[in-house]
Amino acid sequence: MLGAGVWRVAPVHGEMTQSFLRRLAARYGVEIKELLPAVADAGGRSNVMGRARPDSEVFLNQEARDRVAVLCRVASHHLHKALPAWAQEEPRRRFPMGPAAQFHHGPEMVLPWGPACPECTVRRTGRPEDVRLYLQPGQRVCGVHHAWLMQVPGTAGCVVALPAGELWVQAQKRHRKLLRRGTAAVGAFEVAQAVTASWWQRMWPREQLWPARLRALWESRVEWETWQVVAREAVTYPEAVALAALLADGAFRRRVVAEARGGVPFRLADLPSLPVAVARCLRRPWLVEELAAQTSGPLFTWAHQCVRAHRGGQAAERGMWAVASAHRPRPVADELAEVAKPAGRSMGAKRRRGHSRQADQAFATGLSYARRYLQEHGNLAVQEDTMVDSFRLGEWLHNVKTRAWALSQERVEALKALDVWWNVPWPTQWQRSYYRARDHAAVHGPPDAAAGFPGTHVLNGEWLYLQCSHYDSLHPEQQRLLADIGITVEVARTARPRRASMQAGFEAALEHAKAYAAEHGHLAVSGKSVRYQGYPLGAWLTSQRSRARRASSATKRSLALDAIDPWWNPPWPLAWQRAYADVRRLVESGQRLDASAGFPGIDAELARWLSQQRAAPQSLHPDQRRLLAEIGMVEPSEKTPVAVGDDQEAHAAGAMPDAGLASARCFAAEHGHLAVASDYVHNGYPLGRWLASQRMQDRSHARSSRGRWPRGQLLAALDPWWNPPWHYSWQRRYQQAHALWRAGRLPLPGTPTVHHQQGEDREDEADEVAAWLHRQCARHDVLQLEQQNLLADIQITAATARAVTTAARPAPTDQGLEHARSYAAEHGHLAVSTPTEHAGFPLGSWLLQQRRKARSGRLSAHTLQELTALDPWWNPPWAFIWQRHYHQYRTTDQPIPPELQRWARKQTTLWEQLHPHQQGLLTAIGLNALLFHPEHPERQGDLG
């Protein structure tokens, strides 16, 4: 038969390969099951995989395709052009050599298809034949014969006559016109199909058109239960086209974005024009009410992504037309399998892509912990670091919210059943503050905004006033929530601040500064503790100087202080400025400065200071020399000129050489680097704080400009790694290790730490460096190349790191538990630092490992139970350093050190932001939110 190709059978454009082969077999008087083994004959053996079904597609390899081309007498390249699946897939083989064929069925491998219109087929081929075509959504209507070309899984399809067919014909014309407008139309129709499919599943009681249309189209050859599934696309096609045209309209999308006011919607009611426009284009007025309440689903997702796309560029715009897998219509074959499954069998529905059994179990686990949190706190306004037992609930809920728009309706409903406000489009902290205000209102009644919210906590009252001040910019749902506790738009207009505003406080402080300058002639206040007329002027000025140094340019506040005293924030020590101000006042009062006589008539301290300035003017800042010249201490001809090199550097830095750069040079010359702590003071100058400011400016300049920052080049000449691309703490610890290496005391990993007679501080430093070096060896492979090179300079090579990592073995759990029991019995807790050792056992690092295992869910239940019994807060859901400070405060005898007093004040100030269990722990030791409040009758200024 292969050699007797006397018939020429031409394919129909867009035809399925199996349909073409069936017609070819019929011309030779055989069936496809007889033709295909001959085409795929490999040495007398049939190389055909799979079984043919009415809705299957067959894929051929090149040898088989060549044989078919000979049989049908049509060139292979013409077949490739006419048959979409001709070379789509390389089939699997029974035998390694020869021609091969394979059958596939199902939506994963076979594109949407349908039967060709019989009358159109006769016109094309000249005879009545069964032809099946690959059909796009806009090709299922035969406009000439008013027929719908329906795909029915498991069959050869069905041609459905369309009563009043003009409705579908006009929809198809509109669809094709829409597709000519651009690629967005394809995505718009996919979104519209997903939307209409979701409505089909719900089938609202007020929907009358679709049920009537379903019965009018019914083909009696198809069972009613099957028909309700397969006819969905045909019934909803006119509405899908109308909705796609609306979504693709650029003017409509711009109107939706404008209504969002820069935020994303919580429900579709927040975008009023969207439900109204959809209802109007589909001629269903009642749809407005149904859509307005939606907070999920494909239409809500489209609106959410539409608003985001306006801010995110082309990539975000493409995401606007991407239909999430959970929102895509289920394949008809899957739905038919559900309808046809035997009665009494509890077969679960086939899972969608991306919803594996593991994903379902993980979601169920997170939901159970969310339910536990809800029972304790009454809401799901969870901070990202919140943990329930060892489960990271905050992180899980944050991840769910990130992709909330892509969640299935079932998962959304499960979370809404716990908390309607589980996924608010505003910050979670706002929701937590609202719940505190709501709880207060439930007990004390609506807050009195006009009176400044009396009776509320300071933070709560200030938060309420802030909402009133920005009421118009709040999300509509936020406004509704505030209205529930009595803060309506009218009430917000009458709100008064809970306490004096920040601007009023600044103006009051500025008046005190003016009075002080008028009395003393300067603002170089000696320290934070200085109070003037009862006002803490010293602390306030310290705060303003800190803000001014962090700012990239002059602010309104710094300019206001400049007007009082131009040298209120000098680049040199304040002590120098105070001494200069005292001398200047003496000069202005008529005092003569006689250097040759030893400054007679002047206080001995000031006379000594004047002698020092006159003795070494070259060490002073140019502005200091200018100030001294104004009072006659340095004659204009005696001014020390700036060296040429210094002047060039100053010009490169954009200013004259300042005290910070001079201090940095001095420190680098002595130590060889600039890795200092932020609170480090070098010869009276706050070098650490100045370098931190320079690092911030260097990074800001790098973000805004491609060039190098001139001041950064000067500092890089002193220390190439003054502003490293890794965390600054790493560089500081490295320099400590480098200093020990130069001194011959570096505790190399894998060797005992050698302590010299340098005191306990040096021994502690060596222990900390040793622990740090062990950590760097463990993660040597993931360090940056420059970090590896720096470690190699102190003999920590890749080989050293591997040897240390191989030798390190985790301590046995039983041994660690034994030491933990002993430590807890002695101290009452397990809040130990990482370097802590107990009887020679590294208890701190062992507990750190157990906390990491617990947070990743890898800690055994036995170990978790034992450690929790020893200390319920051994692995707290808040920062571990907080737990250590808590135990230090709890166990420290009177008087309490100042640093712990400051820590306690900070906790009471930020009381509302603490975890409820943190509040409980503080209350148990006598700390509460009102302890340091100015209005509290038992306020304690000193905890000691």
Side-chain angles (χ1 to χ4, degrees):
M1 184 179 69
L2 293 176
V6 296
W7 298 108
R8 184 179 189 277
V9 180
V12 177
H13 185 74
E15 187 175 4
M16 298 180 70
T17 305
Q18 178 173 308
S19 170
F20 173 66
L21 293 180
R22 283 183 184 276
R23 294 196 299 113
L24 179 61
R27 295 298 297 274
Y28 281 99
V30 296
E31 295 184 0
I32 190 174
K33 64 181 179 181
E34 297 170 323
L35 173 70
L36 203 56
V39 169
D41 179 82
R45 297 178 296 184
S46 175
N47 208 359
V48 179
M49 298 289 291
R51 296 178 57 187
R53 292 187 358 178
D55 60 341
S56 297
E57 178 59 294
V58 63
F59 298 100
L60 309 173
N61 69 349
Q62 185 61 51
E63 295 177 65
R65 293 196 294 268
D66 292 341
R67 289 186 177 184
V68 172
V70 172
L71 282 174
C72 67
R73 300 184 66 186
V74 177
S76 182
H77 66 276
H78 289 304
L79 294 174
H80 188 282
K81 185 181 299 184
L83 303 175
W86 182 245
Q88 174 185 330
E89 184 78 14
E90 187 67 20
R92 291 189 295 116
R93 303 164 176 262
R94 289 183 183 274
F95 311 108
M97 302 298 292
Q102 182 179 7
F103 287 100
H104 278 296
H105 60 271
E108 291 81 7
M109 294 296 298
V110 184
L111 298 175
W113 56 270
C117 174
E119 299 178 47
C120 295
T121 301
V122 172
R123 189 181 63 192
R124 292 180 186 178
T125 64
R127 63 174 61 198
E129 291 187 285
D130 179 18
V131 177
R132 285 183 291 131
L133 307 173
Y134 286 110
L135 298 175
Q136 296 296 324
Q139 298 174 324
R140 291 199 175 273
V141 177
C142 177
V144 178
H145 303 103
H146 289 190
W148 179 269
L149 311 178
M150 180 180 294
Q151 174 181 351
V152 181
T155 72
C158 182
V159 179
V160 181
L162 297 174
E166 287 300 323
L167 178 64
W168 282 265
V169 174
Q170 292 299 325
Q172 186 180 54
K173 290 180 179 178
R174 188 179 184 185
H175 191 183
R176 291 177 176 175
K177 181 179 178 181
L178 178 64
L179 292 175
R180 289 195 294 268
R181 290 169 51 182
T183 57
V186 177
F189 185 77
E190 291 182 359
V191 173
Q193 271 195 319
V195 173
T196 53
S198 68
W199 295 350
W200 180 269
Q201 294 295 331
R202 299 184 62 174
M203 197 59 76
W204 287 297
R206 287 189 279 184
E207 177 59 59
Q208 302 296 326
L209 292 178
W210 284 352
R213 201 180 292 169
L214 182 67
R215 289 194 173 275
L217 293 175
W218 184 24
E219 280 285 340
S220 58
R221 293 171 296 175
V222 183
E223 295 183 358
W224 176 249
E225 290 77 10
T226 303
W227 182 254
Q228 289 177 294
V229 175
V230 299
R232 178 194 67 208
E233 186 178 346
V235 172
T236 61
Y237 180 68
E239 284 76 12
V241 173
L243 182 58
L246 176 67
L247 300 183
D249 184 8
F252 171 69
R253 296 202 302 270
R254 288 191 292 271
R255 187 161 68 250
V256 170
V257 171
E259 287 186 340
R261 298 191 302 175
V264 293
F266 177 74
R267 55 169 61 93
L268 289 183
D270 300 332
L271 307 171
S273 65
L274 178 59
V276 172
V278 171
R280 184 185 299 117
C281 86
L282 300 183
R283 299 179 181 179
R284 287 167 171 81
W286 53 268
L287 203 54
V288 176
E289 181 181 348
E290 298 288 352
L291 296 181
Q294 287 190 357
T295 59
S296 61
L299 185 60
F300 177 84
T301 297
W302 176 85
H304 183 277
Q305 298 295 78
C306 180
V307 174
R308 292 181 60 190
H310 179 69
R311 302 175 295 182
Q314 293 182 352
E317 186 173 353
R318 288 193 296 270
M320 175 174 57
W321 304 116
V323 181
S325 59
H327 298 156
R328 290 186 176 277
R330 290 189 66 197
V332 175
D334 293 349
E335 294 194 23
L336 287 178
E338 287 295 303
V339 172
K341 68 182 180 182
R345 291 187 61 185
S346 59
M347 291 169 41
K350 184 178 180 181
R351 286 182 171 81
R352 297 177 185 269
R353 185 176 300 175
H355 286 247
S356 63
R357 190 179 303 278
Q358 292 79 3
D360 291 342
Q361 291 175 349
F363 183 81
T365 300
L367 197 66
S368 65
Y369 281 103
R371 190 175 293 109
R372 287 179 53 185
Y373 184 90
L374 179 76
Q375 292 172 353
E376 182 176 353
H377 301 278
N379 60 73
L380 289 183
V382 177
Q383 292 179 318
E384 195 169 345
D385 59 351
T386 299
M387 297 185 66
V388 176
D389 291 341
S390 296
F391 183 77
R392 291 175 286 189
L393 177 63
E395 184 177 341
W396 175 81
L397 198 57
H398 171 77
N399 293 337
V400 172
K401 290 178 181 179
T402 301
R403 296 268 305 171
W405 53 271
L407 286 180
S408 65
Q409 189 65 27
E410 294 78 10
R411 294 187 177 185
V412 171
E413 293 298 331
L415 288 164
K416 284 176 63 177
L418 299 181
D419 185 358
V420 177
W421 305 101
W422 72 276
N423 184 31
V424 291
W426 48 84
T428 302
Q429 187 57 47
W430 190 97
Q431 196 69 11
R432 292 170 63 86
S433 300
Y434 169 77
Y435 285 138
R436 287 193 292 268
R438 184 193 63 181
D439 295 341
H440 182 275
V443 176
H444 303 284
D448 189 352
F453 307 97
T456 61
H457 187 271
V458 174
L459 294 179
N460 203 14
E462 289 184 350
W463 181 84
L464 285 168
Y465 177 70
L466 184 64
Q467 307 316 305
C468 293
S469 302
H470 300 83
Y471 193 88
D472 293 337
S473 62
L474 294 177
H475 194 283
E477 296 296 335
Q478 290 176 296
Q479 295 176 355
R480 294 189 189 100
L481 287 172
L482 290 173
D484 290 342
I485 61 174
I487 305 296
T488 62
V489 61
E490 295 80 10
V491 173
R493 299 288 186 269
T494 66
R496 294 293 179 269
R498 172 67 171 76
R499 60 183 181 183
S501 65
M502 296 180 64
Q503 181 61 28
F506 175 77
E507 292 175 356
L510 202 63
E511 291 299 323
H512 285 92
K514 290 178 181 177
Y516 184 92
E519 181 178 343
H520 297 87
H522 64 86
L523 286 180
V525 179
S526 59
K528 292 183 179 180
S529 60
V530 172
R531 303 181 70 87
Y532 180 70
Q533 297 177 354
Y535 185 81
L537 184 61
W540 182 79
L541 282 171
T542 300
S543 173
Q544 302 308 307
R545 292 189 187 100
S546 177
R547 292 185 180 185
R549 287 165 183 163
R550 290 197 303 267
S552 58
S553 60
T555 64
K556 291 183 178 180
R557 294 190 171 195
S558 63
L559 292 175
L561 287 166
D562 286 343
I564 300 174
D565 179 3
W567 301 106
W568 70 278
N569 185 25
W572 47 80
L574 288 174
W576 190 96
Q577 192 65 24
R578 283 195 298 273
Y580 169 78
D582 292 340
V583 173
R584 187 183 184 94
R585 293 184 67 188
L586 291 175
V587 171
E588 291 175 348
S589 64
Q591 178 68 45
R592 182 171 175 271
L593 301 180
D594 188 356
S596 59
F599 302 103
I602 296 180
D603 180 77
E605 279 295 322
L606 285 181
R608 189 180 304 110
W609 179 84
L610 286 168
S611 299
Q612 292 172 350
Q613 311 312 306
R614 188 171 179 82
Q618 68 278 1
S619 64
L620 298 177
H621 190 282
D623 285 330
Q624 288 177 298
R625 295 196 293 270
R626 182 173 60 80
L627 290 174
L628 291 173
E630 291 178 358
I631 60 174
M633 283 299 301
V634 178
E635 296 294 334
S637 59
E638 296 180 7
K639 290 185 180 180
T640 305
V642 180
V644 174
D646 291 345
D647 184 62
Q648 291 175 345
E649 290 182 351
H651 179 72
M656 293 297 289
D658 58 20
L661 201 56
S663 180
R665 284 198 188 94
C666 181
F667 183 89
E670 181 179 351
H671 299 89
H673 64 88
L674 291 177
V676 301
S678 59
D679 57 352
Y680 180 78
V681 177
H682 180 65
N683 294 336
Y685 185 81
L687 179 61
R689 187 171 61 188
W690 183 83
L691 282 171
S693 173
Q694 304 310 300
R695 289 194 296 272
M696 291 176 61
Q697 293 184 52
D698 184 52
R699 290 166 186 154
S700 176
H701 186 271
R703 288 192 298 267
S704 60
S705 172
R706 294 183 180 179
R708 299 181 62 186
W709 188 46
R711 178 67 62 83
Q713 297 179 48
L714 297 178
L715 292 170
L718 302 177
D719 179 2
W721 304 109
W722 75 278
N723 189 17
W726 44 82
H727 200 281
Y728 190 65
S729 61
W730 192 97
Q731 193 66 19
R732 288 184 52 213
R733 185 64 76 184
Y734 170 78
Q735 291 297 346
Q736 290 179 335
H738 195 274
L740 291 174
W741 175 75
R742 289 200 309 268
R745 299 191 304 109
L746 180 67
L748 290 175
T751 62
T753 302
V754 179
H755 295 305
H756 294 257
Q757 300 300 320
Q758 300 289 341
E760 294 183 0
D761 292 342
R762 291 294 182 90
E763 292 183 5
D764 291 343
E765 180 185 359
D767 290 339
E768 292 176 359
V769 170
W772 180 80
L773 287 174
H774 274 280
R775 291 196 297 272
Q776 304 316 304
C777 289
R779 56 193 300 270
H780 190 273
D781 292 341
V782 299
L783 293 177
Q784 296 188 30
L785 179 61
E786 292 84 355
Q787 291 176 294
Q788 295 177 356
N789 293 337
L790 288 173
L791 289 173
D793 291 342
I794 58 173
Q795 300 180 2
I796 307 297
T797 62
T800 305
R802 283 194 297 271
V804 172
T805 305
T806 304
R809 291 289 183 270
T813 301
D814 293 340
Q815 183 182 2
L817 285 175
E818 191 62 35
H819 284 279
R821 291 190 189 98
S822 177
Y823 186 93
E826 181 179 353
H827 299 89
H829 64 86
L830 290 178
V832 301
S833 60
T834 303
T836 300
E837 292 189 358
H838 181 262
F841 179 80
L843 180 62
S845 60
W846 183 82
L847 283 172
L848 176 63
Q849 293 177 4
Q850 309 314 304
R851 287 194 293 272
R852 289 174 176 171
K853 288 182 179 180
R855 288 168 183 162
S856 61
R858 297 183 291 110
L859 187 63
S860 67
H862 170 71
T863 306
L864 176 62
Q865 182 179 2
E866 290 289 331
L867 291 173
T868 305
L870 296 176
D871 181 359
W873 305 111
W874 74 277
N875 183 27
W878 45 82
F880 189 70
I881 189 65
W882 188 95
Q883 195 69 13
R884 290 183 56 200
H885 286 156
Y886 165 78
H887 284 295
Q888 290 173 3
Y889 181 88
R890 180 180 64 84
T891 58
T892 301
D893 296 331
Q894 302 290 347
I896 302 295
E899 59 272 15
L900 287 180
Q901 292 185 32
R902 289 193 295 271
W903 177 83
R905 288 190 178 90
K906 184 177 180 180
Q907 307 316 305
T908 55
T909 302
L910 303 176
W911 184 268
E912 295 296 331
Q913 301 178 25
L914 296 179
H915 192 285
H917 289 310
Q918 289 176 294
Q919 297 175 354
L921 290 173
L922 293 173
T923 303
I925 61 174
L927 291 177
N928 56 66
L930 298 177
L931 183 61
F932 293 100
H933 194 277
E935 301 175 1
H936 193 269
E938 299 179 2
R939 175 182 177 183
Q940 301 178 18
D942 184 359
L943 295 180

